[in-house]
Amino acid sequence: MRPGALGSLQRGVLNLRANRELIALAWLQRLLLVALSVLSLLPFYWVLDLRLPGRQLAPDELLNWIVEAAERLLGQMATVPFWMAVVASSALLALVLFVYSFFEAGAFGVLAAGERRSPAADASPLARPPAGFRCYTWKTYQEAGGAYLWRFFWLMNLLLLFWTVWLLLVSVAALTSGFAAGSAGVGAALALGCLSVLPLAFVAMLLVFWGWFAQAEIVCRDRGVWPGLLGGLRLATRRLGTMIGLAVVLTLLVAGSAVVFLLLTLTLDTALASFGAIRVALGWSLQALQWLVSGVIHLTFSAAILAIVRADYDLLATREVAP
C-alpha cells in the first residue's frame, strides 16, 4: 500500500527517532557549510581591501557600503589577484558542495537502510520506533557518504543549474511586471504578478521534491545521476497529490519556525539592547537552535520521501511477479 503525505511523514518521524544521531550530524553539517561559505568570501575581501563595519548599519549606510564594494570589484576585474581570488573562492565553494554531498549521502544511506529493514505496519510517531529502523553506526554513515558522494555531488550541480534557470524566470517575471506598471498601470502589474506567482511557486515545489526523490532513487535503487533524476521526476509527477500534501506541511513548518525565531530574535534585541556581549552570545545560541530545527525538518522529510520510494518499488516488484 502506498503511503500518503501523513503516512510517509509518520514513518519518517519513526525512522529519524530510531537514528537520532543523524540530527547532531546535520547540525555539524550546517556549521561546516556556514564556516566554509564565509571562508569562500575572504579572498575577495583581501583583494578588494574592504573594511567590515564594526556596528549595525542603517539601510542607506549599508547601500553605500555595497556600492563601494561593487565599484572596487569592477576596478579589480582586469587584475591577476582578482582572478586568483576567483579560483580560490571557486575551490572553496566546490568544497562546500562536497561537504554537503557527503553528509547528505550518509544520512540518506542510513535512513534508506532503516526503511528497508523496518516492518510495513504503521505505528504512531509517538510510539517507540520498531527495532528494524535502527541502522545508524558511524561506519554505515561513512560508507554511505563515500559510496554516493560523487553521484550526489553531480546531482547537486545539476539541481543548482535548474535553480539558476528558475531564478532567471523569476527575474523575467519581475521585470515584466515592472514594465507593465510603467506602461499599463499598477493594476496590470499586480495582475501579471499574480498570474506568474502560482506557476513559479509550483516549479519551485517541483524542484525541491524532485531533488529529494532523485536522491532517494540513487540510494534505494543504486542508480546513476541521470537515471536517478529521471526516476525522481517520474515519481514526483506520479505522486503529485502526495507531493503537494508534503509541500503544504513543509511550508507550514518552515514558515512557522521562521516566525518563531524571528520573534525570539526581535525580543532578544529589544530586551538586551544595552548588553552587547550577552545579546550576541544568545543570538548565536538561537541560530544554533534554528539549525537544529531545520535539520530535524529536513531529515524527517528525507525519510518520508524514502518511505514513498520504497513503497513504490515494492508495488512495482509485486506487479512484476504477479501472474
Side-chain angles (χ1 to χ4, degrees):
M1 181 179 178
R2 290 179 173 179
L6 294 180
S8 61
L9 283 173
Q10 178 176 298
R11 290 187 63 83
V13 170
L14 290 171
N15 198 346
L16 181 57
R17 286 180 58 205
N19 300 285
R20 52 193 172 276
E21 293 87 350
L22 296 178
I23 298 173
L25 289 168
W27 185 90
L28 177 61
Q29 176 196 33
R30 280 154 177 76
L31 179 63
L32 292 174
L33 292 179
V34 170
L36 290 172
S37 298
V38 172
L39 283 177
S40 69
L41 299 176
L42 290 182
F44 290 104
Y45 172 76
W46 287 326
V47 168
L48 300 179
D49 193 25
L50 291 174
R51 294 291 180 267
L52 293 178
R55 58 183 177 83
Q56 187 173 1
L57 299 179
D60 56 338
E61 294 176 324
L62 179 61
L63 180 61
N64 292 334
W65 187 85
I66 294 174
V67 169
E68 179 186 356
E71 290 175 348
R72 293 192 181 189
L73 181 66
L74 292 174
Q76 293 283 340
M77 286 186 67
T79 64
V80 174
F82 172 80
W83 290 105
M84 291 178 64
V86 169
V87 172
S89 181
S90 300
L92 287 169
L93 288 175
L95 182 59
V96 168
L97 208 53
F98 266 108
V99 171
Y100 178 83
S101 300
F102 173 79
F103 279 90
E104 195 76 358
F108 262 84
V110 172
L111 293 172
E115 180 61 39
R116 283 193 297 268
R117 290 178 50 186
S118 64
D122 293 333
S124 169
L126 299 179
R128 184 176 182 178
F133 277 117
R134 177 66 183 173
C135 288
Y136 173 82
T137 64
W138 172 246
K139 182 180 179 181
T140 303
Y141 187 90
Q142 190 178 21
E143 288 177 349
Y148 302 112
L149 172 62
W150 282 105
R151 278 178 274 184
F152 271 52
F153 176 77
W154 292 116
L155 175 65
M156 296 307 158
N157 277 280
L158 288 172
L159 290 174
L160 285 175
L161 178 61
F162 297 148
W163 277 108
T164 302
V165 174
W166 181 82
L167 288 174
L168 290 175
L169 293 175
V170 172
S171 301
V172 169
L175 290 174
T176 304
S177 297
F179 285 129
S183 59
V186 178
L190 287 175
L192 189 60
C194 292
L195 287 175
S196 61
V197 164
L198 287 178
L200 288 172
F202 178 80
V203 173
M205 178 194 69
L206 181 61
L207 285 174
V208 169
F209 284 91
W210 185 12
W212 258 324
F213 278 118
Q215 292 175 81
E217 285 275 326
I218 289 173
V219 174
C220 290
R221 305 184 185 182
D222 198 23
R223 290 184 167 180
V225 176
W226 281 111
L229 269 175
L230 295 177
L233 182 61
R234 283 194 297 267
L235 193 53
T237 53
R238 190 162 62 239
R239 301 297 305 275
L240 188 60
T242 302
M243 185 178 69
I244 292 175
L246 288 173
V248 171
V249 178
L250 178 63
T251 302
L252 292 175
L253 288 174
V254 172
S257 64
V259 169
V260 169
F261 280 104
L262 177 60
L263 292 176
L264 288 174
T265 302
L266 293 176
T267 303
L268 184 67
D269 289 341
T270 303
L272 300 176
S274 57
F275 300 92
I278 298 177
R279 180 168 59 86
V280 170
L282 290 177
W284 278 107
S285 299
L286 272 180
Q287 183 63 61
L289 182 59
Q290 190 170 9
W291 291 346
L292 194 67
V293 172
S294 66
V296 170
I297 293 173
H298 178 78
L299 289 170
T300 300
F301 276 80
S302 298
I305 294 297
L306 286 165
I308 294 172
V309 172
R310 181 243 177 140
D312 184 78
Y313 180 78
D314 290 345
L315 183 61
L316 290 176
T318 303
R319 288 177 178 176
E320 288 176 358
V321 300

